[in-house]
Amino acid sequence: MKTGKTIYLDHQATTPLDRQVLAEMAPYHGGSFGNPHSSDHSLGWESARDTEKAAAQVARLIGADPDEIIFTSGATETNNMALLGLGRKAAGGRRHRILVSAIEHKSVLAPARVLEKQYAFTVEQIPVDRQGCVELSALNDMLDEDVLAVSIMAVNNEIGTIQNIAKISDRIRCHGAVFHCDAAQAPIAIPIASLATHTDILSLSGHKMYGPMGIGAIFIARLLQDRIEPLIYGGGQQSGFRSGTLPVPLCVGMGVAAELLTGEGAGEKRRELRRRRDHFVRRLRGSGWQVSLVGPEGGARHPANASLCFHGFSAHEILGALQPRLAASTGSACTSGIPEPSHVLRAIGLNGEDSEATIRFSLGFGTTDEDIEQSVILIEEVLEKLSKSKSV
Ligand code: PMP
């Protein structure tokens, strides 16, 4: 996909709003403006009905029931709500350990640290292998009756690793711990129609799945709902879990985005992503420069993700030289700008130099074969230019 002069290969940072999603949101920015919590008039009832429909669409995407879905502002808030919500209610109890994988997003790692500092929990990191897969034997050894919760993401945002959630879930459930899964990157990568049955709490983000920015959702399994303390208090909307007026256009947008990814159609789109991504990686690996794939090699990788190490180069310099013609990123978009090596790349054993040389490219449904060819040409030109300037 081209936006002006820029080929956009940063879909794991954010996806563009789907045209159908935008069209279905449009009326809610005009005529249909009722507050969904206004229970005294028909405009309010209409908005309430539309947000309920959106919750049902999100529920269907993951195999949950509509009353197990609560809208939030995005996956960051959702991850905070999952960890802090559980931790604050369980503080002081027997279960005082929390396990998080070493490659979680910072919106999981940071609230886990808060639970450690302010609520006396012990937070431990579950190691991953070179592909980014959680070490199941280590997880087994760490699990016991003192573990309150385990947080493991479904699909990694930097290197695209897809975890075996069903297997992980079985182990966690044997020990009675709560399983939180950050699935923000999952809807594009894998079919998730039964993800809710394997998890207790799950996080989603609208703008990672062709929906709008500023909305996300948390799934909380019905049996667990009395174990979560809200983050936000007020008028008691959304069964008291998250007070505040629901943003109807955003809810509708996220619902439609979920619907578009539910069912058969998404499978063909994923196959196309994989075909183009594999071609992109093959072309760059065969370019004569030393380029290697970081993370999983086979099917356990997000079909749109190509995390590539350009040995001997600086990822920042490459991306800088590619502006404004090609958009991709170093590390995750949320941490770009903070001058510290990616904790994900460190966790899979990359050394500092290779981490600094790694770029995440992520394709989208709108990426064309022509975009891929152009991108390869642009990258080769930049590598040539940078290597010349280095040898001068
Ligand atoms: N988790 C993962 C895996 C993500 O990739 C992101 C976005 N980078 C988030 C959480 C945060 O999502 P949001 O932007 O909706 O807050």
Side-chain angles (χ1 to χ4, degrees), residues 12-13 73-77 79 105 107 153 155 157 182 184-185 205 207-208 215 332 334:
Q12 283 188 275
S73 64
T76 297
E77 182 188 328
N79 286 340
H105 191 265
S107 56
M153 68 205 320
V155 179
N157 48 304
D182 176 356
Q185 297 283 347
S205 171
H207 75 103
K208 307 281 185 191
I215 183 146
S332 63
C334 321

Side-chain angles (χ1 to χ4, degrees), residues 43-375:
L43 285 182
W45 302 336
E46 279 167 26
S47 288
R49 184 200 57 208
D50 296 340
T51 56
E52 280 159 22
K53 178 179 171 195
Q57 288 166 315
V58 173
R60 210 171 310 122
L61 176 70
I62 57 170
D65 288 331
D67 65 344
E68 295 176 308
I69 301 296
I70 292 127
F71 286 111
T72 65
S73 64
T76 297
E77 182 188 328
T78 301
N79 286 340
N80 274 264
M81 182 171 170
L83 284 137
L84 297 177
L86 254 177
R88 284 175 180 162
K89 218 160 192 175
R94 149 131 201 228
R95 290 184 179 266
H96 65 278
R97 297 173 61 219
I98 291 172
L99 312 182
V100 298
S101 94
I103 58 168
E104 289 306 300
H105 191 265
K106 288 196 171 175
S107 56
V108 165
L109 298 177
R113 248 191 323 269
V114 170
L115 288 178
E116 191 163 46
K117 287 214 170 101
Q118 297 181 9
Y119 297 88
F121 282 95
T122 307
V123 177
E124 294 152 65
Q125 293 208 347
I126 315 157
V128 295
D129 63 18
R130 278 199 78 87
Q131 320 262 309
C133 292
V134 161
E135 301 263 19
L136 288 176
S137 59
L139 172 64
N140 255 351
D141 292 346
M142 294 168 90
L143 280 164
D144 65 19
E145 310 310 307
D146 292 340
V147 175
L148 172 69
V150 182
S151 186
I152 297 175
M153 68 205 320
V155 179
N156 183 263
N157 48 304
E158 289 187 45
I159 54 173
T161 309
I162 298 169
Q163 304 292 344
N164 187 336
I165 291 298
K167 220 176 199 171
I168 288 171
S169 163
D170 286 346
R171 314 248 163 135
I172 295 171
R173 284 182 167 168
C174 281
H175 294 271
V178 175
F179 181 21
H180 166 245
C181 178
D182 176 356
Q185 297 283 347
I188 303 299
I190 49 173
I192 52 172
S194 58
L195 200 53
T197 61
H198 297 298
T199 59
D200 300 309
I201 309 177
L202 186 147
S203 306
L204 291 169
S205 171
H207 75 103
K208 307 281 185 191
M209 48 187 269
Y210 293 89
M213 282 178 169
I215 183 146
I218 184 167
F219 153 77
I220 309 177
R222 200 169 297 107
L223 284 174
L224 256 145
Q225 295 193 340
D226 60 348
R227 292 180 58 187
I228 302 281
E229 185 79 25
L231 278 188
I232 297 173
Y233 295 91
Q237 291 92 341
Q238 300 201 80
S239 311
F241 281 115
R242 207 266 188 181
S243 287
T245 303
L246 275 170
V248 185
L250 302 183
C251 296
V252 167
M254 183 153 181
V256 176
E259 176 128 352
L260 293 174
L261 290 166
T262 303
E264 294 302 302
E268 184 50 34
K269 289 181 180 170
R270 289 188 193 106
R271 277 190 287 282
E272 280 293 285
L273 283 177
R274 182 172 292 113
R275 182 182 68 75
R276 292 200 171 92
R277 187 273 316 273
D278 288 348
H279 181 67
F280 177 64
V281 172
R282 243 188 334 267
R283 290 274 276 111
L284 284 171
R285 276 171 146 180
S287 65
W289 301 98
Q290 206 196 338
V291 180
S292 59
L293 193 63
V294 175
E297 275 285 344
R301 177 188 282 268
H302 188 313
N305 172 284
S307 176
L308 294 171
C309 178
F310 295 86
H311 297 273
F313 288 93
S314 147
H316 280 292
E317 278 179 23
I318 296 174
L319 287 174
L322 282 167
Q323 297 320 299
R325 294 169 298 170
L326 195 156
S329 56
T330 59
S332 63
C334 321
T335 52
S336 293
I338 302 173
E340 60 183 50
S342 150
H343 68 282
V344 174
L345 300 182
R346 206 174 338 115
I348 62 166
L350 238 64
N351 63 33
E353 199 177 313
D354 285 350
S355 295
E356 300 287 319
T358 298
I359 298 178
R360 175 192 69 182
F361 300 92
S362 44
L363 284 61
F365 293 152
T367 305
T368 63
D369 290 338
E370 171 66 14
D371 291 338
I372 296 297
E373 283 312 310
Q374 275 301 315
S375 300

